[in-house]
Amino acid sequence: TGRALTVIQVIVLVPFLALVVLGVARGEGSAASPFLPTGLNVWESLGLGLAIMMWMYSGYESMSTLAGEVENPQRLIPRAVMIAVPLVILTYFLTVVAGIMASGSGGWESMVSDASEGGIDFVVAAENVGGALLAWAMFASAIASNVGLYAGYLATGSRPSFQMSRDRLFPRFFGKTHGSWGTPWVAILVMGVI
C-alpha cells in the first residue's frame, strides 16, 4: 500500500507542479483581488475557509490505526507530521494561487464560484495555461487522487475490525492474515465491499 500510494502521489502532484509553474508564468488572474468574495463578510469567508481546511486536512487521524505496524511510532509519527503539515500547507497555497491566476481575469471570483454558476475548476485552469495535455493530466490527477484516498481508507479502515477480532470483540474470521504478506485480507475485502 505504501509503495502504491507513493506512485499515486507522484501522479497527483506532477500536473499540479506544472500548473503552478505555468499558472504563475502565464496566468492573468489576480490571486489577491478582490480580497473577499462578493456578498461575503470576513466571518462568512473564514467559516467557508475553515470548512475547506477541515476537508483538506482530514486523514491525519488515520495514522493511529496503523501505529502498531510502524517501527518506533512514538518518534516517527510526530516527526512525519511535523514535516508533512508545512509541505501540505505550501502545496495547497501554491496550487490555489496558481489556479486562481490561471483562471483568467476575475480569476479569484471565477475559482470560488459554485460549479453550477459556471465556476472554473483546476482542469479548466490547467487547460487555460497548459492546453489540452495539461487539462487531461489534471483530470488523471483527480482520478488518481480518489484512488489513493480509497486505498488509504481501505488500509486504515480495515484495521479496527482486524484488531477487534484479535481481541475477540468481533468475528474471528476478520483476523485472518495473508500467508505471504501478513495483511488482514478478510477485513480489507469486507471493507472494500462495504
Side-chain angles (χ1 to χ4, degrees):
T1 302
R3 288 187 200 113
L5 289 175
T6 300
V7 170
I8 289 169
Q9 189 63 42
V10 170
I11 293 168
V12 169
L13 285 178
V14 167
F16 277 101
L17 178 61
L19 175 67
V20 168
V21 171
L22 295 174
V24 170
R26 298 181 185 171
E28 298 174 0
S30 175
S33 178
F35 186 71
L36 293 173
T38 305
L40 293 180
N41 63 36
V42 173
W43 293 111
E44 291 169 330
S45 295
L46 286 173
L48 178 62
L50 181 61
I52 292 169
M53 284 176 43
M54 288 171 58
W55 169 254
M56 296 298 184
Y57 292 92
S58 65
Y60 286 99
E61 75 282 353
S62 298
M63 288 185 286
S64 63
T65 61
L66 297 173
E69 297 180 32
V70 175
E71 292 180 29
N72 197 2
Q74 296 88 349
R75 181 175 169 266
L76 186 64
I77 290 176
R79 179 181 282 179
V81 169
M82 296 299 286
I83 293 169
V85 169
L87 288 175
V88 169
I89 291 169
L90 181 65
T91 301
Y92 281 134
F93 178 77
L94 291 175
T95 55
V96 168
V97 166
I100 292 170
M101 292 179 73
S103 62
S105 61
W108 202 117
E109 293 283 329
S110 297
M111 252 341 236
V112 297
S113 295
D114 187 331
S116 63
E117 298 173 7
I120 293 175
D121 58 31
F122 280 109
V123 174
V124 175
E127 185 174 30
N128 288 346
V129 294
L133 180 63
L134 186 56
W136 279 105
M138 191 63 69
F139 183 69
S141 172
I143 293 169
S145 176
N146 284 302
V147 169
L149 281 170
Y150 183 68
Y153 281 124
L154 272 179
T156 59
S158 62
R159 294 305 193 241
S161 59
F162 166 71
Q163 190 56 48
M164 286 174 65
S165 74
R166 293 283 174 110
D167 294 339
R168 297 195 167 127
L169 299 171
F170 216 59
R172 290 184 121 181
F173 65 90
F174 279 94
K176 291 185 179 182
T177 56
H178 189 273
S180 301
W181 301 324
T183 55
W185 68 272
V186 173
I188 291 172
L189 184 63
V190 170
M191 182 75 174
V193 168
I194 292 173

mmCIF file of all heavy atoms in Angstrom, residues 1-46:
data_model
loop_
_atom_site.group_PDB
_atom_site.id
_atom_site.type_symbol
_atom_site.label_atom_id
_atom_site.label_comp_id
_atom_site.label_asym_id
_atom_site.label_seq_id
_atom_site.Cartn_x
_atom_site.Cartn_y
_atom_site.Cartn_z
ATOM 1 N N THR A 1 0.828 -1.188 0.000
ATOM 2 C CA THR A 1 0.000 0.000 0.000
ATOM 3 C C THR A 1 0.869 1.247 0.000
ATOM 4 O O THR A 1 0.594 2.193 -0.726
ATOM 5 C CB THR A 1 -0.923 0.005 1.231
ATOM 6 O OG1 THR A 1 -1.733 -1.167 1.217
ATOM 7 C CG2 THR A 1 -1.824 1.220 1.242
ATOM 8 N N GLY A 2 1.920 1.247 0.785
ATOM 9 C CA GLY A 2 2.799 2.419 0.859
ATOM 10 C C GLY A 2 3.444 2.741 -0.476
ATOM 11 O O GLY A 2 3.483 3.907 -0.888
ATOM 12 N N ARG A 3 3.938 1.731 -1.161
ATOM 13 C CA ARG A 3 4.560 1.967 -2.478
ATOM 14 C C ARG A 3 3.527 2.445 -3.487
ATOM 15 O O ARG A 3 3.790 3.362 -4.277
ATOM 16 C CB ARG A 3 5.244 0.696 -2.972
ATOM 17 C CG ARG A 3 6.503 0.369 -2.214
ATOM 18 C CD ARG A 3 7.246 -0.808 -2.836
ATOM 19 N NE ARG A 3 8.144 -1.368 -1.861
ATOM 20 C CZ ARG A 3 8.016 -2.575 -1.325
ATOM 21 N NH1 ARG A 3 7.038 -3.367 -1.684
ATOM 22 N NH2 ARG A 3 8.874 -3.003 -0.439
ATOM 23 N N ALA A 4 2.359 1.812 -3.485
ATOM 24 C CA ALA A 4 1.306 2.216 -4.422
ATOM 25 C C ALA A 4 0.875 3.647 -4.154
ATOM 26 O O ALA A 4 0.691 4.436 -5.100
ATOM 27 C CB ALA A 4 0.119 1.263 -4.312
ATOM 28 N N LEU A 5 0.722 4.018 -2.899
ATOM 29 C CA LEU A 5 0.322 5.383 -2.571
ATOM 30 C C LEU A 5 1.407 6.398 -2.931
ATOM 31 O O LEU A 5 1.097 7.535 -3.295
ATOM 32 C CB LEU A 5 -0.054 5.490 -1.098
ATOM 33 C CG LEU A 5 -1.364 4.793 -0.710
ATOM 34 C CD1 LEU A 5 -1.583 4.840 0.793
ATOM 35 C CD2 LEU A 5 -2.544 5.400 -1.433
ATOM 36 N N THR A 6 2.669 5.996 -2.869
ATOM 37 C CA THR A 6 3.751 6.892 -3.296
ATOM 38 C C THR A 6 3.673 7.152 -4.797
ATOM 39 O O THR A 6 3.795 8.292 -5.243
ATOM 40 C CB THR A 6 5.122 6.295 -2.922
ATOM 41 O OG1 THR A 6 5.179 6.130 -1.506
ATOM 42 C CG2 THR A 6 6.254 7.183 -3.381
ATOM 43 N N VAL A 7 3.438 6.105 -5.576
ATOM 44 C CA VAL A 7 3.285 6.267 -7.030
ATOM 45 C C VAL A 7 2.074 7.142 -7.338
ATOM 46 O O VAL A 7 2.128 8.051 -8.175
ATOM 47 C CB VAL A 7 3.169 4.885 -7.731
ATOM 48 C CG1 VAL A 7 2.764 5.040 -9.195
ATOM 49 C CG2 VAL A 7 4.479 4.128 -7.619
ATOM 50 N N ILE A 8 0.975 6.887 -6.661
ATOM 51 C CA ILE A 8 -0.234 7.690 -6.864
ATOM 52 C C ILE A 8 0.038 9.142 -6.511
ATOM 53 O O ILE A 8 -0.404 10.057 -7.220
ATOM 54 C CB ILE A 8 -1.407 7.112 -6.040
ATOM 55 C CG1 ILE A 8 -1.875 5.791 -6.663
ATOM 56 C CG2 ILE A 8 -2.552 8.109 -5.941
ATOM 57 C CD1 ILE A 8 -2.846 5.009 -5.805
ATOM 58 N N GLN A 9 0.768 9.390 -5.441
ATOM 59 C CA GLN A 9 1.070 10.766 -5.042
ATOM 60 C C GLN A 9 1.873 11.491 -6.109
ATOM 61 O O GLN A 9 1.641 12.670 -6.374
ATOM 62 C CB GLN A 9 1.823 10.778 -3.710
ATOM 63 C CG GLN A 9 1.985 12.156 -3.125
ATOM 64 C CD GLN A 9 0.654 12.793 -2.781
ATOM 65 O OE1 GLN A 9 -0.236 12.152 -2.257
ATOM 66 N NE2 GLN A 9 0.502 14.057 -3.084
ATOM 67 N N VAL A 10 2.804 10.806 -6.744
ATOM 68 C CA VAL A 10 3.571 11.423 -7.839
ATOM 69 C C VAL A 10 2.642 11.756 -9.002
ATOM 70 O O VAL A 10 2.711 12.850 -9.574
ATOM 71 C CB VAL A 10 4.721 10.495 -8.282
ATOM 72 C CG1 VAL A 10 5.367 10.987 -9.565
ATOM 73 C CG2 VAL A 10 5.761 10.383 -7.167
ATOM 74 N N ILE A 11 1.749 10.836 -9.337
ATOM 75 C CA ILE A 11 0.783 11.076 -10.423
ATOM 76 C C ILE A 11 -0.099 12.282 -10.096
ATOM 77 O O ILE A 11 -0.463 13.058 -10.979
ATOM 78 C CB ILE A 11 -0.066 9.816 -10.684
ATOM 79 C CG1 ILE A 11 0.803 8.701 -11.251
ATOM 80 C CG2 ILE A 11 -1.228 10.113 -11.623
ATOM 81 C CD1 ILE A 11 0.126 7.341 -11.278
ATOM 82 N N VAL A 12 -0.432 12.455 -8.841
ATOM 83 C CA VAL A 12 -1.274 13.585 -8.422
ATOM 84 C C VAL A 12 -0.486 14.894 -8.459
ATOM 85 O O VAL A 12 -0.986 15.919 -8.935
ATOM 86 C CB VAL A 12 -1.854 13.342 -7.010
ATOM 87 C CG1 VAL A 12 -2.489 14.600 -6.460
ATOM 88 C CG2 VAL A 12 -2.852 12.201 -7.037
ATOM 89 N N LEU A 13 0.750 14.892 -7.980
ATOM 90 C CA LEU A 13 1.493 16.137 -7.819
ATOM 91 C C LEU A 13 2.107 16.692 -9.106
ATOM 92 O O LEU A 13 2.227 17.915 -9.241
ATOM 93 C CB LEU A 13 2.591 15.958 -6.770
ATOM 94 C CG LEU A 13 2.108 15.928 -5.331
ATOM 95 C CD1 LEU A 13 3.265 15.692 -4.371
ATOM 96 C CD2 LEU A 13 1.387 17.210 -4.964
ATOM 97 N N VAL A 14 2.503 15.851 -10.044
ATOM 98 C CA VAL A 14 3.174 16.345 -11.252
ATOM 99 C C VAL A 14 2.307 17.337 -12.033
ATOM 100 O O VAL A 14 2.790 18.414 -12.401
ATOM 101 C CB VAL A 14 3.674 15.173 -12.123
ATOM 102 C CG1 VAL A 14 4.093 15.632 -13.507
ATOM 103 C CG2 VAL A 14 4.842 14.471 -11.423
ATOM 104 N N PRO A 15 1.031 17.057 -12.316
ATOM 105 C CA PRO A 15 0.223 18.066 -13.016
ATOM 106 C C PRO A 15 0.059 19.363 -12.221
ATOM 107 O O PRO A 15 0.039 20.455 -12.799
ATOM 108 C CB PRO A 15 -1.136 17.377 -13.217
ATOM 109 C CG PRO A 15 -0.844 15.925 -13.151
ATOM 110 C CD PRO A 15 0.283 15.800 -12.177
ATOM 111 N N PHE A 16 -0.027 19.260 -10.893
ATOM 112 C CA PHE A 16 -0.142 20.465 -10.084
ATOM 113 C C PHE A 16 1.158 21.275 -10.113
ATOM 114 O O PHE A 16 1.127 22.502 -10.111
ATOM 115 C CB PHE A 16 -0.551 20.136 -8.655
ATOM 116 C CG PHE A 16 -2.026 19.956 -8.498
ATOM 117 C CD1 PHE A 16 -2.586 18.692 -8.432
ATOM 118 C CD2 PHE A 16 -2.870 21.053 -8.430
ATOM 119 C CE1 PHE A 16 -3.954 18.529 -8.299
ATOM 120 C CE2 PHE A 16 -4.243 20.908 -8.290
ATOM 121 C CZ PHE A 16 -4.792 19.634 -8.232
ATOM 122 N N LEU A 17 2.294 20.593 -10.153
ATOM 123 C CA LEU A 17 3.571 21.292 -10.280
ATOM 124 C C LEU A 17 3.617 22.061 -11.600
ATOM 125 O O LEU A 17 4.011 23.232 -11.637
ATOM 126 C CB LEU A 17 4.733 20.304 -10.185
ATOM 127 C CG LEU A 17 6.137 20.878 -10.337
ATOM 128 C CD1 LEU A 17 6.417 21.897 -9.237
ATOM 129 C CD2 LEU A 17 7.171 19.773 -10.317
ATOM 130 N N ALA A 18 3.173 21.412 -12.687
ATOM 131 C CA ALA A 18 3.116 22.099 -13.985
ATOM 132 C C ALA A 18 2.147 23.274 -13.933
ATOM 133 O O ALA A 18 2.433 24.346 -14.484
ATOM 134 C CB ALA A 18 2.712 21.110 -15.079
ATOM 135 N N LEU A 19 1.007 23.100 -13.264
ATOM 136 C CA LEU A 19 0.040 24.192 -13.133
ATOM 137 C C LEU A 19 0.637 25.361 -12.357
ATOM 138 O O LEU A 19 0.438 26.522 -12.723
ATOM 139 C CB LEU A 19 -1.241 23.716 -12.449
ATOM 140 C CG LEU A 19 -2.274 24.806 -12.162
ATOM 141 C CD1 LEU A 19 -2.850 25.368 -13.454
ATOM 142 C CD2 LEU A 19 -3.381 24.276 -11.271
ATOM 143 N N VAL A 20 1.378 25.083 -11.297
ATOM 144 C CA VAL A 20 1.993 26.156 -10.508
ATOM 145 C C VAL A 20 2.963 26.956 -11.385
ATOM 146 O O VAL A 20 2.905 28.185 -11.438
ATOM 147 C CB VAL A 20 2.704 25.600 -9.254
ATOM 148 C CG1 VAL A 20 3.589 26.655 -8.608
ATOM 149 C CG2 VAL A 20 1.675 25.082 -8.255
ATOM 150 N N VAL A 21 3.828 26.265 -12.094
ATOM 151 C CA VAL A 21 4.812 26.953 -12.940
ATOM 152 C C VAL A 21 4.118 27.748 -14.046
ATOM 153 O O VAL A 21 4.368 28.944 -14.222
ATOM 154 C CB VAL A 21 5.816 25.943 -13.535
ATOM 155 C CG1 VAL A 21 6.701 26.603 -14.574
ATOM 156 C CG2 VAL A 21 6.656 25.317 -12.422
ATOM 157 N N LEU A 22 3.228 27.100 -14.797
ATOM 158 C CA LEU A 22 2.562 27.763 -15.913
ATOM 159 C C LEU A 22 1.532 28.799 -15.451
ATOM 160 O O LEU A 22 1.361 29.833 -16.098
ATOM 161 C CB LEU A 22 1.900 26.731 -16.822
ATOM 162 C CG LEU A 22 2.858 25.776 -17.534
ATOM 163 C CD1 LEU A 22 2.081 24.703 -18.289
ATOM 164 C CD2 LEU A 22 3.789 26.528 -18.465
ATOM 165 N N GLY A 23 0.843 28.516 -14.355
ATOM 166 C CA GLY A 23 -0.146 29.457 -13.846
ATOM 167 C C GLY A 23 0.476 30.770 -13.420
ATOM 168 O O GLY A 23 -0.047 31.845 -13.712
ATOM 169 N N VAL A 24 1.612 30.695 -12.727
ATOM 170 C CA VAL A 24 2.298 31.911 -12.293
ATOM 171 C C VAL A 24 2.925 32.621 -13.493
ATOM 172 O O VAL A 24 2.874 33.853 -13.599
ATOM 173 C CB VAL A 24 3.343 31.580 -11.204
ATOM 174 C CG1 VAL A 24 4.229 32.773 -10.900
ATOM 175 C CG2 VAL A 24 2.653 31.083 -9.943
ATOM 176 N N ALA A 25 3.492 31.852 -14.434
ATOM 177 C CA ALA A 25 4.163 32.453 -15.595
ATOM 178 C C ALA A 25 3.183 33.023 -16.614
ATOM 179 O O ALA A 25 3.407 34.098 -17.167
ATOM 180 C CB ALA A 25 5.063 31.420 -16.267
ATOM 181 N N ARG A 26 2.072 32.317 -16.886
ATOM 182 C CA ARG A 26 1.161 32.718 -17.957
ATOM 183 C C ARG A 26 -0.189 33.231 -17.481
ATOM 184 O O ARG A 26 -0.947 33.776 -18.273
ATOM 185 C CB ARG A 26 0.898 31.524 -18.878
ATOM 186 C CG ARG A 26 2.106 30.996 -19.579
ATOM 187 C CD ARG A 26 1.688 29.845 -20.471
ATOM 188 N NE ARG A 26 2.834 29.209 -21.088
ATOM 189 C CZ ARG A 26 2.774 28.087 -21.773
ATOM 190 N NH1 ARG A 26 1.608 27.464 -21.927
ATOM 191 N NH2 ARG A 26 3.855 27.573 -22.308
ATOM 192 N N GLY A 27 -0.501 33.021 -16.232
ATOM 193 C CA GLY A 27 -1.828 33.378 -15.732
ATOM 194 C C GLY A 27 -2.088 34.867 -15.729
ATOM 195 O O GLY A 27 -1.179 35.669 -15.523
ATOM 196 N N GLU A 28 -3.334 35.236 -15.947
ATOM 197 C CA GLU A 28 -3.723 36.641 -15.996
ATOM 198 C C GLU A 28 -4.627 37.033 -14.836
ATOM 199 O O GLU A 28 -4.985 38.192 -14.694
ATOM 200 C CB GLU A 28 -4.430 36.940 -17.317
ATOM 201 C CG GLU A 28 -3.544 36.706 -18.520
ATOM 202 C CD GLU A 28 -4.290 36.861 -19.833
ATOM 203 O OE1 GLU A 28 -5.504 37.148 -19.806
ATOM 204 O OE2 GLU A 28 -3.669 36.675 -20.880
ATOM 205 N N GLY A 29 -5.027 36.068 -14.028
ATOM 206 C CA GLY A 29 -5.902 36.360 -12.899
ATOM 207 C C GLY A 29 -5.124 36.948 -11.744
ATOM 208 O O GLY A 29 -3.904 36.862 -11.680
ATOM 209 N N SER A 30 -5.834 37.544 -10.818
ATOM 210 C CA SER A 30 -5.226 38.113 -9.623
ATOM 211 C C SER A 30 -5.619 37.259 -8.427
ATOM 212 O O SER A 30 -6.795 37.095 -8.129
ATOM 213 C CB SER A 30 -5.694 39.549 -9.413
ATOM 214 O OG SER A 30 -5.191 40.034 -8.186
ATOM 215 N N ALA A 31 -4.618 36.749 -7.737
ATOM 216 C CA ALA A 31 -4.875 35.860 -6.602
ATOM 217 C C ALA A 31 -5.301 36.617 -5.346
ATOM 218 O O ALA A 31 -5.809 36.019 -4.417
ATOM 219 C CB ALA A 31 -3.637 35.030 -6.309
ATOM 220 N N ALA A 32 -5.117 37.932 -5.319
ATOM 221 C CA ALA A 32 -5.410 38.687 -4.104
ATOM 222 C C ALA A 32 -6.509 39.728 -4.271
ATOM 223 O O ALA A 32 -6.820 40.435 -3.342
ATOM 224 C CB ALA A 32 -4.139 39.380 -3.624
ATOM 225 N N SER A 33 -7.076 39.832 -5.429
ATOM 226 C CA SER A 33 -8.094 40.860 -5.646
ATOM 227 C C SER A 33 -9.303 40.253 -6.337
ATOM 228 O O SER A 33 -9.147 39.605 -7.360
ATOM 229 C CB SER A 33 -7.519 41.979 -6.511
ATOM 230 O OG SER A 33 -8.494 42.957 -6.771
ATOM 231 N N PRO A 34 -10.481 40.392 -5.815
ATOM 232 C CA PRO A 34 -10.804 41.063 -4.555
ATOM 233 C C PRO A 34 -10.396 40.198 -3.361
ATOM 234 O O PRO A 34 -10.273 38.985 -3.491
ATOM 235 C CB PRO A 34 -12.318 41.209 -4.631
ATOM 236 C CG PRO A 34 -12.762 40.056 -5.451
ATOM 237 C CD PRO A 34 -11.674 39.840 -6.461
ATOM 238 N N PHE A 35 -10.223 40.855 -2.236
ATOM 239 C CA PHE A 35 -9.776 40.131 -1.047
ATOM 240 C C PHE A 35 -10.860 39.212 -0.508
ATOM 241 O O PHE A 35 -10.565 38.124 -0.030
ATOM 242 C CB PHE A 35 -9.336 41.123 0.028
ATOM 243 C CG PHE A 35 -8.733 40.455 1.228
ATOM 244 C CD1 PHE A 35 -7.485 39.857 1.154
ATOM 245 C CD2 PHE A 35 -9.423 40.400 2.423
ATOM 246 C CE1 PHE A 35 -6.930 39.224 2.247
ATOM 247 C CE2 PHE A 35 -8.877 39.775 3.538
ATOM 248 C CZ PHE A 35 -7.626 39.189 3.437
ATOM 249 N N LEU A 36 -12.116 39.608 -0.603
ATOM 250 C CA LEU A 36 -13.248 38.804 -0.154
ATOM 251 C C LEU A 36 -14.182 38.532 -1.329
ATOM 252 O O LEU A 36 -14.354 39.395 -2.179
ATOM 253 C CB LEU A 36 -14.050 39.529 0.939
ATOM 254 C CG LEU A 36 -13.379 39.742 2.276
ATOM 255 C CD1 LEU A 36 -14.252 40.609 3.166
ATOM 256 C CD2 LEU A 36 -13.096 38.419 2.952
ATOM 257 N N PRO A 37 -14.797 37.348 -1.371
ATOM 258 C CA PRO A 37 -15.791 37.092 -2.419
ATOM 259 C C PRO A 37 -16.961 38.056 -2.289
ATOM 260 O O PRO A 37 -17.333 38.455 -1.182
ATOM 261 C CB PRO A 37 -16.251 35.658 -2.152
ATOM 262 C CG PRO A 37 -15.247 35.069 -1.248
ATOM 263 C CD PRO A 37 -14.615 36.195 -0.508
ATOM 264 N N THR A 38 -17.536 38.436 -3.405
ATOM 265 C CA THR A 38 -18.674 39.334 -3.397
ATOM 266 C C THR A 38 -19.804 38.736 -2.578
ATOM 267 O O THR A 38 -20.159 37.572 -2.740
ATOM 268 C CB THR A 38 -19.155 39.588 -4.842
ATOM 269 O OG1 THR A 38 -18.048 40.075 -5.598
ATOM 270 C CG2 THR A 38 -20.286 40.592 -4.873
ATOM 271 N N GLY A 39 -20.363 39.542 -1.676
ATOM 272 C CA GLY A 39 -21.504 39.102 -0.880
ATOM 273 C C GLY A 39 -21.144 38.401 0.415
ATOM 274 O O GLY A 39 -22.029 38.023 1.176
ATOM 275 N N LEU A 40 -19.851 38.198 0.696
ATOM 276 C CA LEU A 40 -19.453 37.547 1.951
ATOM 277 C C LEU A 40 -18.667 38.522 2.812
ATOM 278 O O LEU A 40 -17.839 39.276 2.314
ATOM 279 C CB LEU A 40 -18.577 36.314 1.680
ATOM 280 C CG LEU A 40 -19.210 35.115 0.992
ATOM 281 C CD1 LEU A 40 -18.180 34.004 0.819
ATOM 282 C CD2 LEU A 40 -20.390 34.588 1.794
ATOM 283 N N ASN A 41 -18.923 38.493 4.132
ATOM 284 C CA ASN A 41 -18.110 39.300 5.032
ATOM 285 C C ASN A 41 -16.934 38.457 5.530
ATOM 286 O O ASN A 41 -16.785 37.296 5.159
ATOM 287 C CB ASN A 41 -18.959 39.860 6.184
ATOM 288 C CG ASN A 41 -19.532 38.764 7.068
ATOM 289 O OD1 ASN A 41 -18.894 37.732 7.312
ATOM 290 N ND2 ASN A 41 -20.749 38.980 7.566
ATOM 291 N N VAL A 42 -16.115 39.041 6.370
ATOM 292 C CA VAL A 42 -14.908 38.357 6.856
ATOM 293 C C VAL A 42 -15.260 37.068 7.581
ATOM 294 O O VAL A 42 -14.644 36.019 7.344
ATOM 295 C CB VAL A 42 -14.087 39.292 7.775
ATOM 296 C CG1 VAL A 42 -12.934 38.539 8.419
ATOM 297 C CG2 VAL A 42 -13.558 40.489 7.006
ATOM 298 N N TRP A 43 -16.271 37.082 8.455
ATOM 299 C CA TRP A 43 -16.619 35.894 9.243
ATOM 300 C C TRP A 43 -17.163 34.780 8.362
ATOM 301 O O TRP A 43 -16.850 33.607 8.583
ATOM 302 C CB TRP A 43 -17.600 36.250 10.358
ATOM 303 C CG TRP A 43 -16.959 37.137 11.377
ATOM 304 C CD1 TRP A 43 -17.228 38.439 11.617
ATOM 305 C CD2 TRP A 43 -15.883 36.779 12.249
ATOM 306 N NE1 TRP A 43 -16.403 38.934 12.597
ATOM 307 C CE2 TRP A 43 -15.559 37.919 13.006
ATOM 308 C CE3 TRP A 43 -15.153 35.611 12.477
ATOM 309 C CZ2 TRP A 43 -14.554 37.936 13.963
ATOM 310 C CZ3 TRP A 43 -14.159 35.625 13.433
ATOM 311 C CH2 TRP A 43 -13.872 36.771 14.160
ATOM 312 N N GLU A 44 -17.974 35.125 7.371
ATOM 313 C CA GLU A 44 -18.501 34.105 6.449
ATOM 314 C C GLU A 44 -17.373 33.500 5.631
ATOM 315 O O GLU A 44 -17.339 32.292 5.402
ATOM 316 C CB GLU A 44 -19.551 34.728 5.521
ATOM 317 C CG GLU A 44 -20.830 35.127 6.234
ATOM 318 C CD GLU A 44 -21.739 35.981 5.380
ATOM 319 O OE1 GLU A 44 -21.237 36.730 4.518
ATOM 320 O OE2 GLU A 44 -22.962 35.894 5.588
ATOM 321 N N SER A 45 -16.422 34.324 5.224
ATOM 322 C CA SER A 45 -15.272 33.827 4.465
ATOM 323 C C SER A 45 -14.403 32.910 5.317
ATOM 324 O O SER A 45 -13.933 31.873 4.854
ATOM 325 C CB SER A 45 -14.436 34.986 3.934
ATOM 326 O OG SER A 45 -15.155 35.727 3.006
ATOM 327 N N LEU A 46 -14.186 33.299 6.584
ATOM 328 C CA LEU A 46 -13.404 32.454 7.487
ATOM 329 C C LEU A 46 -14.102 31.118 7.739
ATOM 330 O O LEU A 46 -13.456 30.075 7.810
ATOM 331 C CB LEU A 46 -13.142 33.178 8.805
ATOM 332 C CG LEU A 46 -12.107 34.297 8.754
ATOM 333 C CD1 LEU A 46 -12.064 35.036 10.083
ATOM 334 C CD2 LEU A 46 -10.739 33.749 8.391
#
